[in-house]
Amino acid sequence: MGLFLGIGRAITNMTGGEKKAAAVVTVSPEGGETIFWGKGRCWTCHSMGDRGSAVRCPNLGVYGEKFPLPIGQRAAERAKEREKQTGLPYTPTDYLVECIGNPSAYLVDGYKNEMAIVYAPPISLTPDEIKAVISYLQSQGGEVDIEAINNPTEISKKYWDKIHAASAAGGGDPGHGEEVFQAACLSCHALKGEGGNVGPDLSNVGTKGLKYISESILQPSTTFTPGFETYVVIDKGGRKFVGIKTKEDASGVDLILENGEVASIAKGDIKEITQDKNKSIMPEELTEAITVKDYQDVLAFMLMQKEKK
């Protein structure tokens, strides 16, 4: 119950029930510098030339033979490398966005994949805060291009989709959310051609919004997708079958049960068949099986599911 209440409070905050004053972030190098050396805690891993002492991740300024160029200029060189590696037309801004959206995409020789996902807890930078940081990095020897930041290419857009989804879900990590989804949801729900058919296909669920997805997870019996209503069949031997009706004809009824198995009950064996309008076969106790962080992460992942037609 404690976890359920905790998740409930999280939803209240995410859907606007509890408002708190938020600091205004200017998408500018000055705003980004404040985030870099403050809330973003970038300085715990990166130094900027002689400023800072962190060595866990690459120095982003001019520093010794290994880093002869500041990150603003270095981004242009890295973009050329990424273009050669992927065959895609990378811009310096694409490279910087990718570094934040997917830190493992490009690793500098001699460094491990240890950069934090800054749009997920505990840092949870907002999209505007991340834009500000990118402009600050651009200003380090490069050209500040706010227009490029605000109008992403197809390369950058996929990372911004993750960042915006994470922000909408209260700071969830879509990458980990995908792992949670595969472990807890994929056996019943299809996604992009894979998974089960006990519940609705979720390939386009992101278009339904945060409130709908939240309620569908926490209170699955409040919303039924047409075609996925729960039916109860009792046979003449007293056995009870509960599931989604996939067939009913002169020969009998087929139900997909919660475990994914199909129960076929012959017409002559059926004593009673009713629709349970108050109960979904999706487990109500799901909130007891996952943590609040798992919940936020899977929300962020599901908000990204917007199938292109």
Side-chain angles (χ1 to χ4, degrees):
M1 178 61 74
L3 175 60
F4 186 87
L5 291 174
I7 292 177
R9 283 193 292 270
I11 291 179
T12 299
N13 294 338
M14 287 186 280
T15 55
E18 181 177 314
K19 299 292 184 183
K20 294 182 180 179
V24 176
V25 177
T26 303
V27 180
S28 66
E30 295 75 20
E33 182 176 15
T34 299
I35 298 297
F36 186 97
W37 297 100
K39 176 185 174 181
R41 302 187 65 79
C42 309
W43 54 271
T44 61
C45 293
H46 296 280
S47 294
M48 188 71 76
D50 292 326
R51 185 178 180 185
S53 58
V55 295
R56 186 176 181 181
C57 295
N59 192 306
L60 300 179
V62 176
Y63 196 77
E65 294 182 2
K66 191 172 182 66
F67 301 110
L69 297 175
I71 188 61
Q73 291 177 264
R74 203 183 307 164
E77 298 299 315
R78 298 285 195 239
K80 293 176 184 177
E81 292 180 43
R82 293 297 287 143
E83 185 166 337
K84 187 178 295 185
Q85 291 169 348
T86 65
L88 299 174
Y90 270 72
T91 67
T93 302
D94 289 330
Y95 169 74
L96 293 173
V97 173
E98 182 180 64
C99 287
I100 293 175
N102 181 17
S104 65
Y106 182 98
L107 296 179
V108 176
D109 288 343
Y111 292 89
K112 299 178 182 179
N113 178 23
E114 296 182 315
M115 180 172 159
I117 305 298
V118 297
Y119 50 84
I123 300 174
S124 299
L125 294 186
T126 67
D128 277 353
E129 289 171 338
I130 291 173
K131 288 180 180 181
V133 169
I134 291 171
S135 72
Y136 172 57
L137 297 177
Q138 289 177 333
S139 74
Q140 304 305 303
E143 179 184 350
V144 177
D145 193 343
I146 302 298
E147 184 176 352
I149 296 173
N150 286 328
N151 297 282
T153 65
E154 285 301 311
I155 293 172
S156 290
K157 186 177 182 301
K158 64 181 180 181
Y159 298 117
W160 282 119
D161 286 347
K162 289 174 63 176
I163 292 165
H164 281 284
S167 180
D173 175 3
H176 180 248
E178 182 175 9
E179 296 175 9
V180 176
F181 182 90
Q182 290 176 343
C185 313
L186 199 59
S187 61
C188 291
H189 293 279
L191 184 70
K192 299 176 182 176
E194 298 183 2
N197 60 352
V198 179
D201 188 307
L202 299 179
S203 300
N204 201 38
V205 72
T207 61
K208 295 183 180 293
L210 176 64
K211 186 174 185 293
Y212 174 88
I213 298 172
S214 300
E215 290 180 349
S216 296
I217 295 173
L218 296 179
Q219 298 175 301
S221 296
T222 61
T223 304
F224 289 91
T225 299
F228 291 90
E229 298 86 358
T230 301
Y231 282 84
V232 179
V233 175
I234 299 175
D235 69 11
K236 292 178 180 178
R239 293 183 302 169
K240 182 178 181 180
F241 302 88
V242 180
I244 307 298
K245 185 172 67 175
T246 58
K247 188 192 80 170
E248 182 175 12
D249 56 24
S251 65
V253 171
D254 285 355
L255 295 181
I256 297 182
L257 308 181
E258 184 179 336
N259 61 8
E261 295 181 359
V262 176
S264 297
I265 306 99
K267 197 76 169 180
D269 293 334
I270 296 175
K271 177 182 179 181
E272 180 183 340
I273 178 170
T274 57
Q275 180 183 344
D276 188 341
K277 297 182 179 181
N278 300 311
K279 178 69 175 176
S280 167
I281 67 169
M282 180 171 165
E284 296 274 359
E285 64 274 11
L286 181 62
T287 53
E288 298 176 11
I290 62 174
T291 66
V292 172
K293 182 183 184 305
D294 287 342
Y295 171 75
Q296 287 182 305
D297 292 348
V298 81
L299 268 184
F301 173 68
M302 293 176 75
L303 283 167
M304 290 181 62
Q305 306 313 308
K306 299 176 182 179
E307 193 171 59
K308 294 181 179 179
K309 301 297 183 182

